[in-house]
């Protein structure tokens, strides 16, 4: 598989202050930007000037921790609903794709299908759904459950959930809307498909009461990297988000996804692998490292433990000293298995203390840091792309809007000079912008 001539896809992982958990404490930052729509709009338009394919909004359905110290020392407790934010951005941007997270564990498929189909109409074909199964107990408590559902059960529900959503998005053929005032025919019932789904978890008749998508159907993103997550991705998704902190794991994961896509009868190029990358851009490599170190020094231990708890799907290490290594025996958890495995492998390989591990998470949360000059960052992204570690990158600036501004002003022009990033938007829709063809036909899960 040759990647040298393909364009690097760029996504922006949008998080109010930026991805470093202590970014809100930096000098000169804006006061509580999470509540300031103009802040988000500035960032979205900045990403459009860098010809990003899309921006992506994550979601967590509740307050992430019950620890009052962690609550008091992080600015991430309060956020906006992704659908509301993306709908507002749809009306105020022109080209950039708009991808939002919706949980298959704490939603119903008709709601999700309807909301993303509506966002697709409002944005004229720029919407995408990031399919997740949620993370841990604090989300479950908001939906009448004592604990988060087991991993296997969540993915069994997610697979059927995806089938229903994709089926509902096929409710209307392209020519079904006649809108013929002279004959009095608005819709052709022959172009209507009644889903009639009856499964283990859902019974949904359909059809969907939203017009067909301008791009065939909204883009589907899957963020799980476990074998179960990969199986769901190659069956249903257009993009795979993943955390791969090293070249070896990234290359192996990329090859695995492409091989599994081929085995499923899909063109491997129709499943884009986009790992997260946290660039730290300085005037020199040492200057870039200083910028990161200054933010790391502002992380309170309670916030660090809270980061570990969330990133590992519920691993509680508060009983241990921050400067001790990970204990040999860890309790079983019920959150994201793939992310936990990546983090624990890195910690044991590099002999990290608990503090060192949570500082690694403080900005990149298990994704890869690229620290250096703009030239260094461009070199590393080009290498990862040519080395078949990625089709593109989910960019995670440690601070916003400054970190994104540095990337757009300094790294994007360097990648453009290398003919690796576009110099103009050409596609009408997100699917075209990403270089993807017509939506693939999804076979129901066995």
């Amino acid at each position: 598989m040759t990647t040298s001539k393909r364009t690097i896809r760029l996504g922006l992982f949008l998080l109010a202050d930026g991805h470093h958990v202590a970014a809100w404490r930096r000098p000169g930052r804006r006061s509580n930007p999470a509540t300031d729509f103009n802040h988000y709009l500035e960032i979205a338009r900045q990403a459009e000037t860098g010809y990003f394919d899309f921006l992506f909004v994550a979601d967590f359905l509740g307050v992430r921790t019950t620890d009052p110290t962690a609550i008091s020392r992080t600015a991430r407790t309060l956020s906006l609903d992704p659908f509301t934010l993306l709908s507002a951005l749809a009306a105020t941007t022109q080209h950039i794709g708009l991808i939002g997270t919706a949980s298959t564990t704490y939603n119903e498929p008709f709601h999700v299908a309807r909301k993303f189909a509506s966002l697709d109409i409002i944005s004229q074909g720029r919407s995408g759904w990031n399919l997740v199964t949620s993370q841990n107990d604090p989300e479950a408590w908001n939906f009448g459950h004592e604990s988060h559902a087991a991993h296997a059960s969540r993915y069994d529900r997610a697979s059927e959930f995806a089938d229903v959503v994709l089926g509902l998005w096929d409710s209307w053929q392209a020519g079904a809307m006649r809108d013929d005032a002279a004959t009095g025919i608005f819709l052709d019932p022959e172009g209507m498909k009644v889903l009639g789904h009856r499964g283990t978890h859902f019974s949904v008749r359909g059809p969907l009461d939203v017009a067909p998508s301008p791009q065939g159907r909204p883009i589907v993103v899957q963020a799980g990297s476990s074998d179960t997550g990969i199986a769901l991705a190659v069956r249903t998704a257009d993009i795979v988000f993943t955390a791969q902190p090293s070249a070896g794991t990234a290359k192996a994961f990329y090859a695995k996804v492409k091989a599994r896509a081929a085995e499923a009868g899909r063109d491997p190029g129709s499943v884009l692998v986009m790992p997260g990358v946290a660039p730290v851009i300085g005037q020199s490599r040492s200057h870039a490292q200083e910028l990161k170190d200054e933010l790391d020094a502002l992380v309170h231990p309670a916030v660090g433990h809270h980061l570990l708890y969330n990133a590992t799907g519920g691993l509680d290490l508060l009983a241990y000293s921050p400067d001790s290594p990970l204990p040999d025996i860890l309790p079983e958890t019920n959150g994201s298995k793939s992310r936990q495995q990546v983090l624990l492998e890195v910690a044991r390989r590099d002999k990290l203390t608990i503090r060192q591990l949570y500082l690694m998470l403080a900005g990149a949360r298990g994704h890869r840091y690229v620290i250096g000059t703009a030239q260094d960052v461009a070199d590393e992204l080009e290498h990862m792309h040519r080395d078949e570690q990625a089709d593109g990158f989910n960019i995670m600036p440690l601070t916003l809007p400054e970190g994104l501004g540095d990337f757009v002003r300094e790294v994007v022009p360097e990648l453009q000079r290398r003919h690796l990033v576009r110099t103009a938007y050409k596609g009408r829709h997100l699917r075209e912008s990403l270089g993807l063809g017509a939506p693939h036909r999804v076979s129901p899960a066995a």
Side-chain angles (χ1 to χ4, degrees):
M1 185 186 303
T2 300
T3 62
S4 59
K5 297 298 183 183
R6 293 187 299 111
T7 301
I8 291 175
R9 281 76 165 192
L10 289 176
L12 171 66
F13 192 158
L14 180 58
L15 202 57
D17 274 294
H19 282 267
H20 200 286
V21 72
W24 73 278
R25 298 185 63 192
R26 71 192 187 276
R29 52 82 68 169
R30 295 177 179 177
S31 177
N32 198 12
T35 64
D36 183 355
F37 174 70
N38 287 324
H39 170 73
Y40 290 111
L41 179 56
E42 176 186 341
I43 292 168
R45 288 176 171 169
Q46 196 174 55
E48 279 195 325
T49 66
Y51 302 107
F52 275 63
D53 292 280
F54 60 81
L55 59 82
F56 157 62
V57 180
D59 196 23
F60 188 92
L61 297 168
V63 175
R64 295 171 183 266
T65 179
T66 59
D67 178 2
T69 304
I71 290 173
S72 71
R73 291 182 173 275
T74 178
R76 293 184 181 168
T77 300
L78 306 179
S79 61
L80 296 177
D81 170 69
F83 284 110
T84 308
L85 175 58
L86 292 175
S87 295
L89 290 175
T92 49
T93 57
Q94 293 184 325
H95 303 288
I96 197 163
L98 305 164
I99 296 178
T101 297
S103 169
T104 58
T105 305
Y106 303 117
N107 278 295
E108 289 293 320
F110 191 90
H111 285 136
V112 169
R114 192 170 190 251
K115 289 178 180 180
F116 279 106
S118 297
L119 179 61
D120 210 55
I121 298 293
I122 293 169
S123 65
Q124 298 182 317
R126 294 187 281 140
S127 81
W129 170 36
N130 179 42
L131 184 165
V132 302
T133 66
S134 287
Q135 291 183 323
N136 48 38
D137 290 349
E139 291 183 276
W141 299 337
N142 291 326
F143 295 89
H145 304 285
E146 291 297 321
S147 61
H148 198 32
H151 185 270
S153 175
R154 294 200 311 273
Y155 270 91
D156 184 63
R157 175 185 167 97
S159 186
E160 186 180 338
F161 194 113
D163 288 342
V164 175
V165 170
L166 293 169
L168 288 170
W169 283 342
D170 277 340
S171 292
W172 301 96
Q173 293 179 3
M177 184 179 293
R178 297 290 181 83
D179 195 14
D180 190 337
T183 63
I185 301 297
F186 186 78
L187 288 170
D188 180 0
E190 293 297 318
M192 180 182 74
K193 177 183 176 182
V194 176
L195 180 62
H197 176 89
R198 288 186 177 273
T200 303
H201 301 277
F202 305 106
S203 177
V204 181
R205 180 183 182 274
L208 192 66
D209 60 338
V210 181
S213 162
Q215 57 176 333
R217 67 167 177 252
I219 293 293
V220 177
V221 178
Q222 215 284 315
S225 298
S226 65
D227 282 343
T228 307
I230 292 172
L232 179 60
V234 300
R235 194 173 68 80
T236 64
D238 303 290
I239 301 174
V240 178
F241 288 165
T242 181
Q244 302 296 334
S246 71
T249 60
K251 193 172 178 69
F253 180 80
Y254 184 92
K256 186 175 187 178
V257 169
K258 300 297 183 175
R260 293 281 291 275
E263 290 168 6
R266 292 186 62 183
D267 173 4
S270 71
V271 185
L272 304 178
V273 177
M274 298 185 65
V277 169
V280 187
I281 303 163
Q283 298 170 5
S284 64
R285 293 178 188 178
S286 60
H287 178 238
Q289 186 63 51
E290 287 172 8
L291 295 175
K292 178 181 178 298
D293 291 344
E294 287 171 3
L295 290 170
D296 285 349
L298 299 173
V299 179
H300 189 277
V303 175
H305 280 287
H306 158 64
L307 285 173
L308 268 178
Y309 180 86
N310 278 326
T312 59
L315 189 61
D316 189 349
L317 299 175
L318 272 172
Y320 300 91
S321 165
D323 296 310
S324 65
L326 285 175
D328 292 332
I329 300 176
L330 295 169
E332 183 70 18
T333 62
N334 190 31
S336 171
K337 301 296 185 185
S338 57
R339 180 65 60 86
Q340 182 185 102
Q341 182 179 354
V342 166
L343 294 174
L344 295 183
E345 285 177 354
V346 170
R348 300 203 190 284
R349 182 195 70 204
D350 296 342
K351 297 181 172 56
L352 300 180
T353 64
I354 291 172
R355 188 190 305 276
Q356 288 170 327
L357 181 57
Y358 73 57
L359 288 178
M360 186 183 82
L361 293 170
R365 295 195 305 287
H367 296 270
R368 196 183 314 193
Y369 278 109
V370 182
I371 302 172
T373 65
Q375 178 86 22
D376 292 329
V377 173
D379 286 347
E380 183 62 17
L381 296 184
E382 179 177 8
H383 170 71
M384 292 169 67
H385 183 248
R386 294 191 188 279
D387 193 42
E388 297 188 347
Q389 299 178 38
D391 295 305
F393 306 99
N394 218 11
I395 301 300
M396 304 167 58
L398 298 196
T399 62
L400 285 170
E402 304 96 322
L404 176 62
D406 291 342
F407 188 89
V408 168
R409 285 190 304 272
E410 300 180 41
V411 178
V412 168
E414 181 60 32
L415 292 173
Q416 288 173 330
R417 281 192 288 272
R418 304 179 192 191
H419 305 289
L420 291 169
V421 168
R422 66 165 65 88
T423 57
Y425 286 106
K426 295 181 180 178
R428 295 170 300 159
H429 311 135
L430 177 55
R431 189 172 296 278
E432 293 174 337
S433 180
L434 290 165
L436 297 172
H440 68 284
R441 183 174 296 278
V442 177
S443 301

